[in-house]
Amino acid sequence: MTNGELFNAAVKAAENSYSPYSHFKVGAALLTADGKVYTGCNIENASYSLTNCAERTAVFKAVSEGVKDFKAIAVAGSGNGDFSRPCTPCGACLQVLSEFCGDDMVIVLSNGWYRLADFLPMRFTEESMK
Ligand code: THU
């Protein structure tokens, strides 16, 4: 699976976005170590803080099915149907990714790819508590 294909899967996942408040559709596509893709979208709530981001939806879907080895995640977000501007993962999603992914986890955006460590260089992990 190429980064482009993974990004296109994220754009497609954004179709299911439930975002009546922000009108900002986000999709994520999470590539597992064995080549499977779990997708997710943002799911908003009238009690705004209960909103779940697309990335966390994808991670929770995978983990709830027993899958915890990930290679890459693509994220696509748009308020107008144009997904060409990069939609960077929020801090909460980065922290959730950090629980299951190493520094080299690939994050694919519309403008290229990055590493988890690019976004979260001094992340809080299990090691931090030793
Ligand atoms: N959102 C995501 O789904 N992922 C992110 O990383 C950033 C923000 C969603 C949450 C909310 O539904 C909308 O985008 C606007 O913040």
Side-chain angles (χ1 to χ4, degrees):
M1 156 117 359
T2 66
N3 285 351
E5 287 167 341
L6 196 63
F7 183 77
N8 289 341
V11 171
K12 176 107 183 90
E15 283 175 14
N16 289 332
S17 165
Y18 177 75
S19 44
Y21 307 105
S22 73
H23 303 288
F24 190 74
K25 292 177 185 282
V26 185
L30 181 64
L31 180 64
T32 70
D34 56 8
K36 203 172 162 198
V37 175
Y38 285 86
T39 59
C41 63
N42 56 332
I43 303 170
E44 298 187 345
N45 193 282
S47 178
Y48 290 5
S49 66
L50 297 181
T51 291
N52 204 60
C53 291
E55 300 91 318
R56 278 178 286 148
T57 303
V59 170
F60 295 154
K61 277 172 70 178
V63 174
S64 69
E65 292 185 21
V67 181
K68 291 192 281 289
D69 292 331
F70 307 121
K71 285 208 293 215
I73 187 167
V75 186
S78 174
N80 62 8
D82 173 4
F83 288 89
S84 60
R85 285 183 62 193
C87 176
T88 50
C90 80
C93 289
L94 290 169
Q95 183 63 28
V96 168
L97 284 168
S98 160
E99 184 69 21
F100 302 103
C101 310
D103 282 343
D104 291 329
M105 170 77 172
V106 171
I107 297 179
V108 180
L109 305 182
S110 63
N111 64 347
W113 66 273
Y114 304 84
R115 298 163 67 239
L116 179 59
D118 292 327
F119 288 104
L120 211 54
M122 292 177 67
R123 55 207 178 91
F124 181 80
T125 66
E126 191 184 6
E127 290 301 306
S128 315
M129 290 185 282
K130 286 182 179 156

PDB file of all heavy atoms in Angstrom, residues 6-7 9-17 24-30 38-42 53-55 58 73-78 83 87 108-109:
ATOM      1  N   LEU A   6      -3.052   5.143   0.944  1.00  0.00           N
ATOM      2  CA  LEU A   6      -3.506   5.258   2.336  1.00  0.00           C
ATOM      3  C   LEU A   6      -4.202   6.612   2.546  1.00  0.00           C
ATOM      4  O   LEU A   6      -5.242   6.692   3.208  1.00  0.00           O
ATOM      5  CB  LEU A   6      -2.305   5.109   3.283  1.00  0.00           C
ATOM      6  CG  LEU A   6      -2.641   4.824   4.744  1.00  0.00           C
ATOM      7  CD1 LEU A   6      -3.366   3.475   4.899  1.00  0.00           C
ATOM      8  CD2 LEU A   6      -1.380   4.839   5.615  1.00  0.00           C
ATOM      9  N   PHE A   7      -3.638   7.651   1.933  1.00  0.00           N
ATOM     10  CA  PHE A   7      -4.270   8.968   2.057  1.00  0.00           C
ATOM     11  C   PHE A   7      -5.657   8.962   1.406  1.00  0.00           C
ATOM     12  O   PHE A   7      -6.620   9.516   1.969  1.00  0.00           O
ATOM     13  CB  PHE A   7      -3.387  10.062   1.441  1.00  0.00           C
ATOM     14  CG  PHE A   7      -3.958  11.437   1.618  1.00  0.00           C
ATOM     15  CD1 PHE A   7      -3.875  12.084   2.843  1.00  0.00           C
ATOM     16  CD2 PHE A   7      -4.617  12.072   0.578  1.00  0.00           C
ATOM     17  CE1 PHE A   7      -4.432  13.352   3.032  1.00  0.00           C
ATOM     18  CE2 PHE A   7      -5.185  13.330   0.748  1.00  0.00           C
ATOM     19  CZ  PHE A   7      -5.081  13.972   1.979  1.00  0.00           C
ATOM     20  N   ALA A   9      -7.641   6.503   1.171  1.00  0.00           N
ATOM     21  CA  ALA A   9      -8.538   5.766   2.078  1.00  0.00           C
ATOM     22  C   ALA A   9      -9.009   6.688   3.211  1.00  0.00           C
ATOM     23  O   ALA A   9     -10.158   6.596   3.666  1.00  0.00           O
ATOM     24  CB  ALA A   9      -7.828   4.537   2.639  1.00  0.00           C
ATOM     25  N   ALA A  10      -8.131   7.593   3.642  1.00  0.00           N
ATOM     26  CA  ALA A  10      -8.515   8.553   4.694  1.00  0.00           C
ATOM     27  C   ALA A  10      -9.553   9.536   4.157  1.00  0.00           C
ATOM     28  O   ALA A  10     -10.540   9.856   4.841  1.00  0.00           O
ATOM     29  CB  ALA A  10      -7.280   9.296   5.208  1.00  0.00           C
ATOM     30  N   VAL A  11      -9.367  10.006   2.937  1.00  0.00           N
ATOM     31  CA  VAL A  11     -10.353  10.920   2.318  1.00  0.00           C
ATOM     32  C   VAL A  11     -11.705  10.221   2.222  1.00  0.00           C
ATOM     33  O   VAL A  11     -12.757  10.788   2.538  1.00  0.00           O
ATOM     34  CB  VAL A  11      -9.877  11.387   0.921  1.00  0.00           C
ATOM     35  CG1 VAL A  11     -10.981  12.145   0.195  1.00  0.00           C
ATOM     36  CG2 VAL A  11      -8.618  12.240   1.043  1.00  0.00           C
ATOM     37  N   LYS A  12     -11.675   8.964   1.810  1.00  0.00           N
ATOM     38  CA  LYS A  12     -12.932   8.195   1.679  1.00  0.00           C
ATOM     39  C   LYS A  12     -13.598   8.021   3.047  1.00  0.00           C
ATOM     40  O   LYS A  12     -14.824   8.140   3.179  1.00  0.00           O
ATOM     41  CB  LYS A  12     -12.596   6.832   1.045  1.00  0.00           C
ATOM     42  CG  LYS A  12     -13.717   5.864   0.915  1.00  0.00           C
ATOM     43  CD  LYS A  12     -14.148   5.737  -0.553  1.00  0.00           C
ATOM     44  CE  LYS A  12     -15.341   4.813  -0.745  1.00  0.00           C
ATOM     45  NZ  LYS A  12     -16.616   5.458  -0.681  1.00  0.00           N
ATOM     46  N   ALA A  13     -12.782   7.784   4.075  1.00  0.00           N
ATOM     47  CA  ALA A  13     -13.337   7.581   5.427  1.00  0.00           C
ATOM     48  C   ALA A  13     -14.016   8.855   5.931  1.00  0.00           C
ATOM     49  O   ALA A  13     -14.961   8.790   6.726  1.00  0.00           O
ATOM     50  CB  ALA A  13     -12.226   7.153   6.389  1.00  0.00           C
ATOM     51  N   ALA A  14     -13.549  10.002   5.460  1.00  0.00           N
ATOM     52  CA  ALA A  14     -14.136  11.276   5.894  1.00  0.00           C
ATOM     53  C   ALA A  14     -15.589  11.418   5.425  1.00  0.00           C
ATOM     54  O   ALA A  14     -16.338  12.230   5.972  1.00  0.00           O
ATOM     55  CB  ALA A  14     -13.298  12.448   5.385  1.00  0.00           C
ATOM     56  N   GLU A  15     -15.977  10.626   4.444  1.00  0.00           N
ATOM     57  CA  GLU A  15     -17.373  10.676   3.960  1.00  0.00           C
ATOM     58  C   GLU A  15     -18.357  10.354   5.085  1.00  0.00           C
ATOM     59  O   GLU A  15     -19.477  10.834   5.098  1.00  0.00           O
ATOM     60  CB  GLU A  15     -17.590   9.659   2.822  1.00  0.00           C
ATOM     61  CG  GLU A  15     -17.030  10.102   1.498  1.00  0.00           C
ATOM     62  CD  GLU A  15     -17.165   9.010   0.425  1.00  0.00           C
ATOM     63  OE1 GLU A  15     -17.916   8.033   0.633  1.00  0.00           O
ATOM     64  OE2 GLU A  15     -16.492   9.157  -0.610  1.00  0.00           O
ATOM     65  N   ASN A  16     -17.906   9.516   6.031  1.00  0.00           N
ATOM     66  CA  ASN A  16     -18.795   9.114   7.129  1.00  0.00           C
ATOM     67  C   ASN A  16     -18.694  10.037   8.336  1.00  0.00           C
ATOM     68  O   ASN A  16     -19.324   9.777   9.371  1.00  0.00           O
ATOM     69  CB  ASN A  16     -18.474   7.684   7.575  1.00  0.00           C
ATOM     70  CG  ASN A  16     -18.908   6.664   6.541  1.00  0.00           C
ATOM     71  OD1 ASN A  16     -19.851   6.906   5.795  1.00  0.00           O
ATOM     72  ND2 ASN A  16     -18.213   5.555   6.475  1.00  0.00           N
ATOM     73  N   SER A  17     -17.896  11.086   8.208  1.00  0.00           N
ATOM     74  CA  SER A  17     -17.745  12.033   9.322  1.00  0.00           C
ATOM     75  C   SER A  17     -19.103  12.498   9.835  1.00  0.00           C
ATOM     76  O   SER A  17     -19.988  12.867   9.058  1.00  0.00           O
ATOM     77  CB  SER A  17     -16.949  13.246   8.820  1.00  0.00           C
ATOM     78  OG  SER A  17     -17.065  14.325   9.725  1.00  0.00           O
ATOM     79  N   PHE A  24     -16.435  20.181   9.819  1.00  0.00           N
ATOM     80  CA  PHE A  24     -15.081  19.842   9.378  1.00  0.00           C
ATOM     81  C   PHE A  24     -14.976  18.326   9.372  1.00  0.00           C
ATOM     82  O   PHE A  24     -15.003  17.674  10.413  1.00  0.00           O
ATOM     83  CB  PHE A  24     -14.045  20.474  10.324  1.00  0.00           C
ATOM     84  CG  PHE A  24     -12.641  20.385   9.824  1.00  0.00           C
ATOM     85  CD1 PHE A  24     -12.213  21.200   8.778  1.00  0.00           C
ATOM     86  CD2 PHE A  24     -11.735  19.496  10.390  1.00  0.00           C
ATOM     87  CE1 PHE A  24     -10.905  21.123   8.304  1.00  0.00           C
ATOM     88  CE2 PHE A  24     -10.431  19.410   9.923  1.00  0.00           C
ATOM     89  CZ  PHE A  24     -10.019  20.234   8.881  1.00  0.00           C
ATOM     90  N   LYS A  25     -14.883  17.780   8.161  1.00  0.00           N
ATOM     91  CA  LYS A  25     -14.859  16.319   8.019  1.00  0.00           C
ATOM     92  C   LYS A  25     -13.423  15.817   8.095  1.00  0.00           C
ATOM     93  O   LYS A  25     -12.547  16.329   7.380  1.00  0.00           O
ATOM     94  CB  LYS A  25     -15.444  15.905   6.662  1.00  0.00           C
ATOM     95  CG  LYS A  25     -16.935  16.165   6.513  1.00  0.00           C
ATOM     96  CD  LYS A  25     -17.370  15.793   5.103  1.00  0.00           C
ATOM     97  CE  LYS A  25     -18.819  16.129   4.853  1.00  0.00           C
ATOM     98  NZ  LYS A  25     -19.743  15.176   5.435  1.00  0.00           N
ATOM     99  N   VAL A  26     -13.195  14.815   8.940  1.00  0.00           N
ATOM    100  CA  VAL A  26     -11.855  14.225   9.047  1.00  0.00           C
ATOM    101  C   VAL A  26     -11.965  12.711   8.862  1.00  0.00           C
ATOM    102  O   VAL A  26     -12.902  12.073   9.365  1.00  0.00           O
ATOM    103  CB  VAL A  26     -11.204  14.537  10.417  1.00  0.00           C
ATOM    104  CG1 VAL A  26      -9.763  14.024  10.457  1.00  0.00           C
ATOM    105  CG2 VAL A  26     -11.226  16.043  10.699  1.00  0.00           C
ATOM    106  N   GLY A  27     -11.014  12.175   8.125  1.00  0.00           N
ATOM    107  CA  GLY A  27     -10.915  10.726   7.953  1.00  0.00           C
ATOM    108  C   GLY A  27      -9.506  10.281   8.276  1.00  0.00           C
ATOM    109  O   GLY A  27      -8.542  11.036   8.096  1.00  0.00           O
ATOM    110  N   ALA A  28      -9.393   9.071   8.771  1.00  0.00           N
ATOM    111  CA  ALA A  28      -8.070   8.504   9.063  1.00  0.00           C
ATOM    112  C   ALA A  28      -8.027   7.088   8.523  1.00  0.00           C
ATOM    113  O   ALA A  28      -9.061   6.387   8.488  1.00  0.00           O
ATOM    114  CB  ALA A  28      -7.811   8.503  10.571  1.00  0.00           C
ATOM    115  N   ALA A  29      -6.846   6.676   8.092  1.00  0.00           N
ATOM    116  CA  ALA A  29      -6.644   5.305   7.625  1.00  0.00           C
ATOM    117  C   ALA A  29      -5.367   4.786   8.271  1.00  0.00           C
ATOM    118  O   ALA A  29      -4.286   5.342   8.065  1.00  0.00           O
ATOM    119  CB  ALA A  29      -6.542   5.254   6.100  1.00  0.00           C
ATOM    120  N   LEU A  30      -5.534   3.750   9.066  1.00  0.00           N
ATOM    121  CA  LEU A  30      -4.449   3.198   9.881  1.00  0.00           C
ATOM    122  C   LEU A  30      -3.978   1.893   9.252  1.00  0.00           C
ATOM    123  O   LEU A  30      -4.762   0.942   9.108  1.00  0.00           O
ATOM    124  CB  LEU A  30      -5.010   2.963  11.289  1.00  0.00           C
ATOM    125  CG  LEU A  30      -4.109   2.422  12.379  1.00  0.00           C
ATOM    126  CD1 LEU A  30      -2.992   3.418  12.697  1.00  0.00           C
ATOM    127  CD2 LEU A  30      -4.951   2.149  13.639  1.00  0.00           C
ATOM    128  N   TYR A  38      -7.454  -0.015   8.885  1.00  0.00           N
ATOM    129  CA  TYR A  38      -8.621   0.354   9.703  1.00  0.00           C
ATOM    130  C   TYR A  38      -8.887   1.838   9.471  1.00  0.00           C
ATOM    131  O   TYR A  38      -7.972   2.657   9.600  1.00  0.00           O
ATOM    132  CB  TYR A  38      -8.351   0.124  11.195  1.00  0.00           C
ATOM    133  CG  TYR A  38      -8.379  -1.326  11.590  1.00  0.00           C
ATOM    134  CD1 TYR A  38      -7.235  -2.111  11.482  1.00  0.00           C
ATOM    135  CD2 TYR A  38      -9.543  -1.924  12.053  1.00  0.00           C
ATOM    136  CE1 TYR A  38      -7.257  -3.454  11.826  1.00  0.00           C
ATOM    137  CE2 TYR A  38      -9.579  -3.264  12.403  1.00  0.00           C
ATOM    138  CZ  TYR A  38      -8.436  -4.026  12.287  1.00  0.00           C
ATOM    139  OH  TYR A  38      -8.461  -5.358  12.627  1.00  0.00           O
ATOM    140  N   THR A  39     -10.112   2.162   9.130  1.00  0.00           N
ATOM    141  CA  THR A  39     -10.429   3.567   8.904  1.00  0.00           C
ATOM    142  C   THR A  39     -11.234   4.122  10.068  1.00  0.00           C
ATOM    143  O   THR A  39     -11.799   3.376  10.874  1.00  0.00           O
ATOM    144  CB  THR A  39     -11.240   3.756   7.605  1.00  0.00           C
ATOM    145  OG1 THR A  39     -12.438   2.995   7.709  1.00  0.00           O
ATOM    146  CG2 THR A  39     -10.431   3.328   6.387  1.00  0.00           C
ATOM    147  N   GLY A  40     -11.292   5.453  10.131  1.00  0.00           N
ATOM    148  CA  GLY A  40     -12.090   6.115  11.160  1.00  0.00           C
ATOM    149  C   GLY A  40     -12.462   7.507  10.703  1.00  0.00           C
ATOM    150  O   GLY A  40     -11.850   8.055   9.777  1.00  0.00           O
ATOM    151  N   CYS A  41     -13.483   8.065  11.342  1.00  0.00           N
ATOM    152  CA  CYS A  41     -13.871   9.443  11.052  1.00  0.00           C
ATOM    153  C   CYS A  41     -14.122  10.167  12.375  1.00  0.00           C
ATOM    154  O   CYS A  41     -14.210   9.515  13.425  1.00  0.00           O
ATOM    155  CB  CYS A  41     -15.117   9.487  10.172  1.00  0.00           C
ATOM    156  SG  CYS A  41     -16.566   8.777  10.964  1.00  0.00           S
ATOM    157  N   ASN A  42     -14.222  11.482  12.312  1.00  0.00           N
ATOM    158  CA  ASN A  42     -14.568  12.219  13.533  1.00  0.00           C
ATOM    159  C   ASN A  42     -16.058  12.066  13.813  1.00  0.00           C
ATOM    160  O   ASN A  42     -16.894  12.040  12.892  1.00  0.00           O
ATOM    161  CB  ASN A  42     -14.134  13.689  13.463  1.00  0.00           C
ATOM    162  CG  ASN A  42     -14.672  14.441  12.274  1.00  0.00           C
ATOM    163  OD1 ASN A  42     -14.938  13.871  11.223  1.00  0.00           O
ATOM    164  ND2 ASN A  42     -14.837  15.740  12.432  1.00  0.00           N
ATOM    165  N   CYS A  53     -12.048  12.146  17.679  1.00  0.00           N
ATOM    166  CA  CYS A  53     -11.357  12.442  16.416  1.00  0.00           C
ATOM    167  C   CYS A  53     -11.253  11.190  15.541  1.00  0.00           C
ATOM    168  O   CYS A  53     -11.309  10.057  16.035  1.00  0.00           O
ATOM    169  CB  CYS A  53      -9.944  12.939  16.683  1.00  0.00           C
ATOM    170  SG  CYS A  53      -9.835  14.558  17.429  1.00  0.00           S
ATOM    171  N   ALA A  54     -11.035  11.429  14.271  1.00  0.00           N
ATOM    172  CA  ALA A  54     -10.925  10.337  13.293  1.00  0.00           C
ATOM    173  C   ALA A  54      -9.796   9.366  13.627  1.00  0.00           C
ATOM    174  O   ALA A  54      -9.969   8.137  13.517  1.00  0.00           O
ATOM    175  CB  ALA A  54     -10.698  10.931  11.905  1.00  0.00           C
ATOM    176  N   GLU A  55      -8.669   9.916  14.032  1.00  0.00           N
ATOM    177  CA  GLU A  55      -7.503   9.057  14.309  1.00  0.00           C
ATOM    178  C   GLU A  55      -7.795   8.113  15.461  1.00  0.00           C
ATOM    179  O   GLU A  55      -7.471   6.921  15.430  1.00  0.00           O
ATOM    180  CB  GLU A  55      -6.274   9.902  14.676  1.00  0.00           C
ATOM    181  CG  GLU A  55      -5.824  10.865  13.610  1.00  0.00           C
ATOM    182  CD  GLU A  55      -6.486  12.239  13.746  1.00  0.00           C
ATOM    183  OE1 GLU A  55      -7.703  12.303  14.012  1.00  0.00           O
ATOM    184  OE2 GLU A  55      -5.778  13.243  13.569  1.00  0.00           O
ATOM    185  N   ALA A  58     -10.083   5.279  14.514  1.00  0.00           N
ATOM    186  CA  ALA A  58      -9.385   4.206  13.788  1.00  0.00           C
ATOM    187  C   ALA A  58      -8.554   3.350  14.747  1.00  0.00           C
ATOM    188  O   ALA A  58      -8.577   2.116  14.669  1.00  0.00           O
ATOM    189  CB  ALA A  58      -8.498   4.808  12.694  1.00  0.00           C
ATOM    190  N   ILE A  73      -0.307   5.974   9.616  1.00  0.00           N
ATOM    191  CA  ILE A  73      -1.679   6.471   9.641  1.00  0.00           C
ATOM    192  C   ILE A  73      -1.761   7.672   8.703  1.00  0.00           C
ATOM    193  O   ILE A  73      -0.867   8.530   8.705  1.00  0.00           O
ATOM    194  CB  ILE A  73      -2.154   6.833  11.070  1.00  0.00           C
ATOM    195  CG1 ILE A  73      -3.663   7.178  11.063  1.00  0.00           C
ATOM    196  CG2 ILE A  73      -1.334   7.981  11.678  1.00  0.00           C
ATOM    197  CD1 ILE A  73      -4.284   7.245  12.451  1.00  0.00           C
ATOM    198  N   ALA A  74      -2.779   7.701   7.873  1.00  0.00           N
ATOM    199  CA  ALA A  74      -3.021   8.865   7.014  1.00  0.00           C
ATOM    200  C   ALA A  74      -4.196   9.639   7.594  1.00  0.00           C
ATOM    201  O   ALA A  74      -5.137   9.047   8.124  1.00  0.00           O
ATOM    202  CB  ALA A  74      -3.340   8.423   5.587  1.00  0.00           C
ATOM    203  N   VAL A  75      -4.115  10.954   7.506  1.00  0.00           N
ATOM    204  CA  VAL A  75      -5.170  11.820   8.035  1.00  0.00           C
ATOM    205  C   VAL A  75      -5.555  12.832   6.955  1.00  0.00           C
ATOM    206  O   VAL A  75      -4.687  13.454   6.328  1.00  0.00           O
ATOM    207  CB  VAL A  75      -4.696  12.585   9.295  1.00  0.00           C
ATOM    208  CG1 VAL A  75      -5.853  13.363   9.912  1.00  0.00           C
ATOM    209  CG2 VAL A  75      -4.094  11.627  10.316  1.00  0.00           C
ATOM    210  N   ALA A  76      -6.863  12.975   6.742  1.00  0.00           N
ATOM    211  CA  ALA A  76      -7.357  13.935   5.750  1.00  0.00           C
ATOM    212  C   ALA A  76      -8.494  14.723   6.383  1.00  0.00           C
ATOM    213  O   ALA A  76      -9.394  14.140   6.982  1.00  0.00           O
ATOM    214  CB  ALA A  76      -7.870  13.192   4.512  1.00  0.00           C
ATOM    215  N   GLY A  77      -8.438  16.032   6.282  1.00  0.00           N
ATOM    216  CA  GLY A  77      -9.491  16.848   6.877  1.00  0.00           C
ATOM    217  C   GLY A  77      -9.855  18.008   5.971  1.00  0.00           C
ATOM    218  O   GLY A  77      -8.992  18.566   5.280  1.00  0.00           O
ATOM    219  N   SER A  78     -11.148  18.355   5.974  1.00  0.00           N
ATOM    220  CA  SER A  78     -11.584  19.465   5.127  1.00  0.00           C
ATOM    221  C   SER A  78     -12.936  20.004   5.582  1.00  0.00           C
ATOM    222  O   SER A  78     -13.802  19.253   6.030  1.00  0.00           O
ATOM    223  CB  SER A  78     -11.714  18.981   3.675  1.00  0.00           C
ATOM    224  OG  SER A  78     -12.268  20.004   2.879  1.00  0.00           O
ATOM    225  N   PHE A  83      -9.352  18.412   0.194  1.00  0.00           N
ATOM    226  CA  PHE A  83      -8.490  17.800   1.213  1.00  0.00           C
ATOM    227  C   PHE A  83      -7.006  18.083   0.960  1.00  0.00           C
ATOM    228  O   PHE A  83      -6.148  17.372   1.465  1.00  0.00           O
ATOM    229  CB  PHE A  83      -8.744  16.292   1.267  1.00  0.00           C
ATOM    230  CG  PHE A  83     -10.078  15.949   1.878  1.00  0.00           C
ATOM    231  CD1 PHE A  83     -11.217  15.854   1.068  1.00  0.00           C
ATOM    232  CD2 PHE A  83     -10.214  15.751   3.240  1.00  0.00           C
ATOM    233  CE1 PHE A  83     -12.450  15.544   1.625  1.00  0.00           C
ATOM    234  CE2 PHE A  83     -11.448  15.444   3.803  1.00  0.00           C
ATOM    235  CZ  PHE A  83     -12.568  15.344   2.995  1.00  0.00           C
ATOM    236  N   CYS A  87      -4.001  18.292   7.341  1.00  0.00           N
ATOM    237  CA  CYS A  87      -4.742  18.272   8.609  1.00  0.00           C
ATOM    238  C   CYS A  87      -3.874  17.501   9.596  1.00  0.00           C
ATOM    239  O   CYS A  87      -3.774  16.273   9.522  1.00  0.00           O
ATOM    240  CB  CYS A  87      -6.096  17.586   8.409  1.00  0.00           C
ATOM    241  SG  CYS A  87      -7.042  17.420   9.937  1.00  0.00           S
ATOM    242  N   VAL A 108       0.941  10.177   7.436  1.00  0.00           N
ATOM    243  CA  VAL A 108       0.788  10.652   6.055  1.00  0.00           C
ATOM    244  C   VAL A 108      -0.248  11.774   6.026  1.00  0.00           C
ATOM    245  O   VAL A 108      -1.398  11.588   6.449  1.00  0.00           O
ATOM    246  CB  VAL A 108       0.344   9.504   5.124  1.00  0.00           C
ATOM    247  CG1 VAL A 108       0.186  10.012   3.694  1.00  0.00           C
ATOM    248  CG2 VAL A 108       1.332   8.352   5.189  1.00  0.00           C
ATOM    249  N   LEU A 109       0.167  12.924   5.537  1.00  0.00           N
ATOM    250  CA  LEU A 109      -0.749  14.062   5.361  1.00  0.00           C
ATOM    251  C   LEU A 109      -0.826  14.392   3.878  1.00  0.00           C
ATOM    252  O   LEU A 109      -0.146  13.778   3.052  1.00  0.00           O
ATOM    253  CB  LEU A 109      -0.256  15.270   6.173  1.00  0.00           C
ATOM    254  CG  LEU A 109      -0.027  15.045   7.675  1.00  0.00           C
ATOM    255  CD1 LEU A 109       0.424  16.342   8.344  1.00  0.00           C
ATOM    256  CD2 LEU A 109      -1.279  14.501   8.348  1.00  0.00           C
TER     257      LEU A 109
END
